């Protein structure tokens, strides 16, 4: 079984791993156009936290999750009291137990 790895930066992956990901994406895109996309994320939920609004990122992740059978939850930092009433650690800990993935778009 493969160890879970987080995709934070392309530099964390070898050239071959990146090429493998691109090959998989090409296969999924072909399957989509042929009407044969598998529901790889059926019954999976992705929590999405955005420090600032991002149309392209939000829409692309929501569309991909829906296409693959999953669901997204858009969480605005002000609505979940991120860093105020709840620490980042507590928020991530809770979300990691209640969802299957967490997307955080922040400004570095």
């Amino acid at each position: 079984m493969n160890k879970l790895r987080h995709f934070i930066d392309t530099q964390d992956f070898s050239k071959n791993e990146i090429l493998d990901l691109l090959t998989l994406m090409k296969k999924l895109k072909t399957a989509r156009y042929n009407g044969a996309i598998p529901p790889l994320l059926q019954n999976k939920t992705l929590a999405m936290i955005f420090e600032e609004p991002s149309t392209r990122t939000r829409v692309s992740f929501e569309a991909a999750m829906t296409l693959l059978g999953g669901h997204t939850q858009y969480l605005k930092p002000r609505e979940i009291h991120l860093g105020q009433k709840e620490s980042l650690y507590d928020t991530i800990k809770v979300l990691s137990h209640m969802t299957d993935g967490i997307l955080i778009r922040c400004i570095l």
Side-chain angles (χ1 to χ4, degrees):
M1 181 177 218
N2 293 334
K3 183 181 176 188
L4 173 67
R5 292 174 64 195
H6 299 281
F7 194 104
I8 305 294
D9 190 330
T10 56
Q11 300 301 314
D12 296 337
F13 293 84
S14 70
K15 179 181 177 180
N16 286 335
E17 288 172 319
I18 296 291
L19 291 173
D20 287 346
L21 283 172
L22 292 172
T23 299
L24 175 60
M25 294 302 102
K26 186 175 181 180
K27 288 179 182 179
L28 287 172
K29 191 172 186 178
T30 300
R32 177 183 180 196
Y33 288 118
N34 291 329
I37 192 92
L40 299 172
L41 299 176
Q42 187 170 4
N43 301 321
K44 302 294 183 193
T45 301
L46 175 69
M48 301 189 309
I49 299 172
F50 290 83
E51 192 172 22
E52 290 189 5
S54 174
T55 302
R56 287 186 301 260
T57 303
R58 181 177 175 184
V59 170
S60 65
F61 273 88
E62 286 186 0
M65 286 296 291
T66 300
L67 183 67
L68 295 171
H71 172 74
T72 59
Q73 290 183 322
Y74 177 58
L75 308 167
K76 296 177 184 177
R78 287 183 211 103
E79 292 177 348
I80 60 173
H81 309 289
L82 189 60
Q84 296 170 4
K85 293 182 181 179
E86 299 174 13
S87 70
L88 178 60
Y89 175 81
D90 287 341
T91 299
I92 299 305
K93 186 175 179 182
V94 168
L95 289 177
S96 70
H97 290 292
M98 296 183 170
T99 65
D100 300 289
I102 303 169
L103 162 75
I104 300 177
R105 176 123 194 278
C106 61
I107 300 170
L108 297 176

